[in-house]
Amino acid sequence: MATMSDSQLRSQLEQRKKRLIAAIPVSPQPSQLSRLLEEVDSTLDRMAKGSFGVCEICHEEIERERILLDPFARVCLSHLSHEQRSALEEDLQLAARIQRALLPPQTLRADGWHIHFQYDPAGTVSGDYCDVIRSDKDGGLFFALGDVSGKGVAASMLMAQLHAMFRSLASVELSLDGMVERANRLFCEGTIAGQFATLVCGRAKRTGEVELSSAGHPPALVIRKGEVIPLEATGLPLGMFCEGKYDVRRMLLEPGDSVVLYSDGISETASHGGTEYGIERLSKLVGRQHALSPDAMVAACLQDVKQHAAEAPQTDDRTIMVLQRASV
């Protein structure tokens, strides 16, 4: 684990210790708080001795996401007891159900747009973020696709945090750049050091006008009559610096034109030989298939990615979304 993250965790534990010391004398159950204080003291002691984050059985590093979720952890996943494994599996299944419930409808036709996405986690839970929100005020659509750092439950919790932030911000009258800048500040202040998220988001209006802003995310692909225009990121990933600035690109799409958003689990899918699928191959594919409906285009992309990967295992979450201006 990075030194900066250890420092942040140590600071959080020291703050917890102070609160526990203050709460024990007035608590109706002081014994429970005392045991928790002992856990905090023990963890701080292991940090001081350099044994924090090391499995007490195999002496290998404990998984990063496990430490972030439970700084008291003393063993790695491989050495959990049967009861601990069962409890963890139940927690993972519950987290997966909650995460799926946060997703928007997979196919949406509204306000002159046809949208379809595919959300394919590499494991039980995902660190990819995907959402579409209709605006009651102007009839437009807010859409977003992101990818948080890390894997497993820790990443899924950050995904849920992004979901809650943008659901709240979308209800406030903010410009798109103002929304992303506010989300960046909130994400930066609400996560520990070393955690960040890439994101591309935008607004689509009935008139065909589209606004796009990207925080360190792989290029969005704008398809106009078969021509594919990659749009690079307009700012750094969320959470890197609290005062980040994010430019907005605006364009007018005609009926049949599309925007393709995807996570790096698509573009960085590797073959058995280690060759990445790549943004160029994805661009050529969507250019050839520009006349397809969003659901057919998503299916064609995923099929091509799977053919490239062949039998290589999926190691990262894959999410892809296509927004297409509906024909008149």
Side-chain angles (χ1 to χ4, degrees), residues 109 111-114 206-208 253-257 324-328:
R109 295 176 182 268
D111 305 310
W113 294 90
H114 181 190
R206 286 196 181 107
T207 58
L253 298 189
E254 301 295 332
D257 292 345
Q324 187 175 87
R325 190 174 180 200
S327 300
V328 178

Side-chain angles (χ1 to χ4, degrees), residues 96 99-100 120-126 152 314-317:
Q99 194 167 51
R100 287 284 179 182
D120 188 11
T124 306
V125 292
S126 171
Q314 181 179 341
T315 59
D316 199 1
D317 306 318

